[in-house]
Structures are given as C-alpha cells and as structure tokens.
Amino acid sequence: MQKTRNFRDYKVWNDAVDYATLVYRVTTKMPWFEKKGLCDQLQRAVVSISSNIAEGAGRPTDADFAHFLDQSLGSANEVETQLLISKNLQYITENQYEQLINKLTEIQKQLSGLINTIRQPRTP
C-alpha cells in the first residue's frame, strides 16, 4: 500500500535543513587547506541528514522510510564525529562545538523517535 508523505511536514526535516545551513556557515570559516578534506566531508554528511529524510518519505512502505531514516541517523553520527575532530583541531571553538552538538542531539532524538514510531507493530 502506497503511503503519501510530505517530507516538508516533518519537524525533523525542517530542523535538519536549518542545521545544515548553520554548519555550512561554520565550515566557511575553516582553514582553506581543509576545503577538500574535513570541511567537504562535514558538509556532505550534514546535507545527507535532511536529504535521506526527504528521499525516504517518498518511498512506498514504512520499512523503506525507516531504512532511509536509519541512513539519516548514521549521517548525523558522522557529523558528530567530524565536529569533534574539528574542535580537537581548533577549527571550531568549544562554544561553537557545544552549540552544534546540542542542536544535533535534538535531531538525533527526533530521528530515533520517528524510527521507533514507524517500526512499532500496529494493532488492528
């Protein structure tokens, strides 16, 4: 049975788009020699969070949607790792790191909740 989902209706998608925009602003201030390294990887991973939500919403089954949400959560975990490395290399400040991690943690919680809701067995 085909489900009709509009990815724009999901708060987590909107939050992930806003978050990607914020991370892009931060990465523009990273050292020039990281533009093709850590910066590029961080940008790809952060865009992947909202992109996978959107792609999954267009899939016909809950299982397909949940699979793409899993991918999105994996990308969020990747971003978390790359932010820690950025902080350790002092490409971002401790304050920037804390702010970015707090926002990311909220997105991770939303994704986990949505995945759990979708995967819950339905009673007839």
Side-chain angles (χ1 to χ4, degrees):
M1 175 176 188
Q2 178 86 17
K3 289 229 174 198
T4 303
R5 298 182 196 92
N6 185 339
F7 61 89
R8 292 175 207 85
D9 293 338
Y10 290 93
K11 181 182 184 310
V12 67
W13 177 81
N14 286 288
D15 289 352
V17 168
D18 291 344
Y19 186 72
T21 304
L22 178 61
V23 169
Y24 259 78
R25 288 191 179 119
V26 169
T27 56
T28 61
K29 294 174 176 52
M30 285 187 171
W32 65 268
F33 54 84
E34 282 296 349
K35 296 300 180 201
K36 294 292 182 200
L38 183 60
C39 179
D40 184 54
Q41 188 65 29
L42 183 52
Q43 289 173 345
R44 287 173 192 259
V46 78
V47 167
S48 181
I49 299 170
S50 56
S51 296
N52 275 301
I53 296 166
E55 185 173 356
R59 298 300 170 135
T61 67
D62 285 345
D64 288 337
F65 187 29
H67 170 75
F68 279 89
L69 293 173
D70 286 335
Q71 298 288 76
S72 183
L73 187 55
S75 293
N77 294 341
E78 187 177 347
V79 168
E80 184 174 347
T81 300
Q82 293 158 358
L83 287 173
L84 178 60
I85 294 166
S86 297
K87 178 188 72 94
N88 290 348
L89 293 171
Q90 299 178 338
Y91 294 161
I92 59 175
T93 66
E94 184 74 35
N95 188 42
Q96 285 174 313
Y97 174 76
E98 290 300 324
Q99 289 177 344
L100 290 168
I101 289 297
N102 289 340
K103 290 179 187 297
L104 182 61
T105 299
E106 181 58 33
I107 290 168
Q108 290 166 320
K109 287 178 184 176
Q110 290 178 60
L111 284 168
S112 293
L114 185 53
I115 291 165
N116 290 338
T117 298
I118 290 170
R119 288 199 169 126
Q120 273 182 347
R122 293 198 173 86
T123 53

